[in-house]
């Protein structure tokens, strides 16, 4: 009775656990379905990782500044590091960086930047215990089929006193609740879990980690990516606006948006 069907979207059912507020896709897509999602085209959608897209640098600089408030150097692992842009910034800032990334194309892009990135999921890589000072997961945990296993593994490979930083959407936020089925982060099968502060604390707080902070700081986004997300949510009615923005070459203009529906969480081992 604690589990109820809350949404239906893109042919998937999303259930709500009333006890902990976690929402999740069930049944989950197969590994083959997920493998077909995370191809090169996924990382090129909305020009999110375009070489001319400086917005990611600004977002990554903000993430790094948050880390630097607690840790100035050491071994840093980025889980789901995509094309390695954040890792490159962290490396230049003095961290000894590593990454794991399941997309072969994204991994090749990262290694071409002379980064130590493995084309693997975290569990298969089997890093040494008590090895990393910092582990990051930026917009990754909602994609995972097994977030509890991943959190347990991060606890194993973090040094005592090490920190985990991650970002994810807050489905309990006012904007998410108002948007309902049209919330821009309600995107199965890419996003399989939908967290709130309550459910994320349940995931990390079972005597493994001590909670430090949740930060709602917003993100820089390009007009092109903003309209891409709008079209993903509302359909082809947005297409004429995207055409105009692209024709006028305004797509790489960026603005900062804070809907208070995405947080960065910080926990200590």
């Amino acid at each position: 009775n604690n589990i109820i069907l809350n949404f239906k979207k893109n042919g998937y059912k999303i259930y709500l656990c009333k006890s902990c507020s976690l929402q999740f896709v069930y049944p989950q897509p197969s590994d083959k379905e997920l493998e077909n999602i995370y191809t090169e085209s996924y990382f090129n959608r909305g020009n999110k990782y375009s070489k001319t897209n400086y917005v990611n640098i600004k977002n990554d600089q903000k993430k790094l500044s948050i880390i630097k408030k607690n840790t100035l150097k050491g071994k840093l692992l980025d889980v789901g590091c995509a094309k390695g842009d954040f890792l490159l910034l962290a490396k230049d800032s003095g961290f000894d960086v590593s990454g794991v990334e399941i997309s072969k194309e994204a991994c090749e892009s990262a290694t071409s930047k002379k980064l130590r990135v493995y084309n693997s999921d975290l569990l298969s890589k089997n890093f040494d215990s008590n090895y990393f000072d910092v582990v990051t997961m930026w917009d990754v945990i909602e994609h995972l089929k097994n977030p509890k296993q991943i959190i347990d593994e991060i606890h194993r490979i973090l040094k005592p006193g090490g920190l985990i930083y991650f970002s994810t959407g807050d489905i309990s936020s006012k904007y998410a609740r108002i948007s309902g089925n049209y919330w821009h982060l309600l995107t199965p099968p890419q996003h399989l879990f939908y967290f709130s502060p309550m459910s994320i604390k349940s995931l990390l707080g079972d005597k493994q980690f001590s909670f430090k902070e949740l930060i709602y700081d917003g993100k820089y986004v390009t007009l092109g990516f903003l309209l891409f997300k709008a079209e993903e949510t509302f359909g082809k009615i947005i297409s004429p606006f995207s055409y105009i923005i692209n024709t006028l070459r305004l797509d790489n203009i960026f603005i900062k948006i804070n809907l208070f529906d995405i947080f960065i969480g910080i926990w200590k081992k």
Side-chain angles (χ1 to χ4, degrees):
N1 292 336
N2 282 333
I3 307 293
I4 61 169
L5 178 62
N6 207 29
F7 295 106
K8 290 183 180 179
K9 192 168 184 183
N10 301 339
Y12 293 88
K13 295 178 179 179
I14 299 170
Y15 290 86
L16 163 67
C17 173
K18 293 191 289 184
S19 297
C20 70
S21 82
L22 178 68
Q23 302 200 39
F24 55 93
V25 171
Y26 185 83
Q28 288 192 345
S30 67
D31 290 341
K32 186 65 177 176
E33 286 178 86
L34 294 178
E35 186 180 314
N36 290 335
I37 290 171
Y38 300 114
T39 60
E40 187 172 6
S41 62
Y42 178 83
F43 293 93
N44 292 332
R45 63 205 240 291
N47 289 324
K48 186 175 182 181
Y49 295 98
S50 166
K51 290 181 180 178
T52 60
N53 186 354
Y54 301 110
V55 68
N56 291 326
I57 296 174
K58 292 186 73 68
N59 287 325
D60 288 342
Q61 286 172 335
K62 177 61 181 178
K63 295 168 190 170
L64 188 60
S65 72
I66 292 170
I67 292 172
K68 288 272 189 177
K69 289 177 182 177
N70 299 299
T71 311
L72 293 176
K73 61 182 180 178
K75 292 182 171 63
L76 181 150
L77 173 69
D78 192 20
V79 179
C81 65
K83 295 186 176 183
D85 294 336
F86 171 75
L87 278 180
L88 191 61
L89 192 67
K91 180 181 178 181
D92 290 344
S93 183
F95 283 94
D96 178 8
V97 303
S98 303
V100 289
E101 172 54 55
I102 63 169
S103 165
K104 181 181 177 182
E105 293 82 5
C107 184
E108 288 173 352
S109 178
T111 54
S112 72
K113 298 166 185 164
K114 310 299 181 188
L115 294 167
R116 189 192 307 121
V117 173
Y118 305 96
N119 184 203
S120 172
D121 64 89
L122 179 62
L123 297 177
S124 299
K125 189 63 193 80
N126 195 27
F127 289 106
D128 290 341
S129 298
N130 305 313
Y131 186 74
F132 292 102
D133 300 282
V134 173
V135 176
T136 59
M137 288 194 295
W138 306 120
D139 304 337
V140 166
I141 195 168
E142 62 272 16
H143 293 262
L144 302 174
K145 294 186 75 171
N146 52 349
K148 183 65 171 76
Q149 276 184 280
I150 298 301
I151 293 299
D152 289 345
E153 179 68 358
I154 290 172
H155 184 268
R156 184 185 70 79
I157 64 178
L158 266 177
K159 294 177 181 177
L163 293 160
I164 174 175
Y165 298 79
F166 62 90
S167 56
T168 193
D170 180 358
I171 199 166
S172 69
S173 66
K174 183 177 289 186
Y175 185 76
R177 286 184 280 114
I178 290 170
S179 303
N181 208 56
Y182 291 100
W183 187 39
H184 64 107
L185 296 176
L186 197 74
T187 56
Q190 292 93 340
H191 292 178
L192 300 174
F193 287 87
Y194 302 89
F195 295 97
S196 66
M198 179 182 177
S199 61
I200 208 75
K201 287 175 182 176
S202 297
L203 180 65
L204 281 100
D206 59 350
K207 300 179 182 177
Q208 291 197 95
F209 292 92
S210 58
F211 170 69
K212 284 187 67 72
E213 191 176 5
L214 290 183
I215 301 170
Y216 291 81
D217 193 55
K219 283 187 176 184
Y220 291 95
V221 295
T222 63
L223 292 181
F225 190 72
L226 191 64
L227 287 168
F228 162 76
K229 288 298 293 181
E231 190 168 329
E232 187 179 59
T233 302
F234 298 108
K236 295 298 181 183
I237 192 171
I238 304 296
S239 297
F241 300 100
S242 298
Y243 176 77
I244 292 168
I245 290 295
N246 289 328
T247 301
L248 296 176
R249 297 184 178 178
L250 300 175
D251 51 314
N252 273 325
I253 291 176
F254 56 82
I255 56 175
K256 187 172 185 180
I257 291 181
N258 194 354
L259 302 172
F260 296 92
D261 64 341
I262 297 173
F263 61 78
I264 292 175
I266 308 170
W267 268 261
K268 183 177 182 179
K269 176 175 174 178

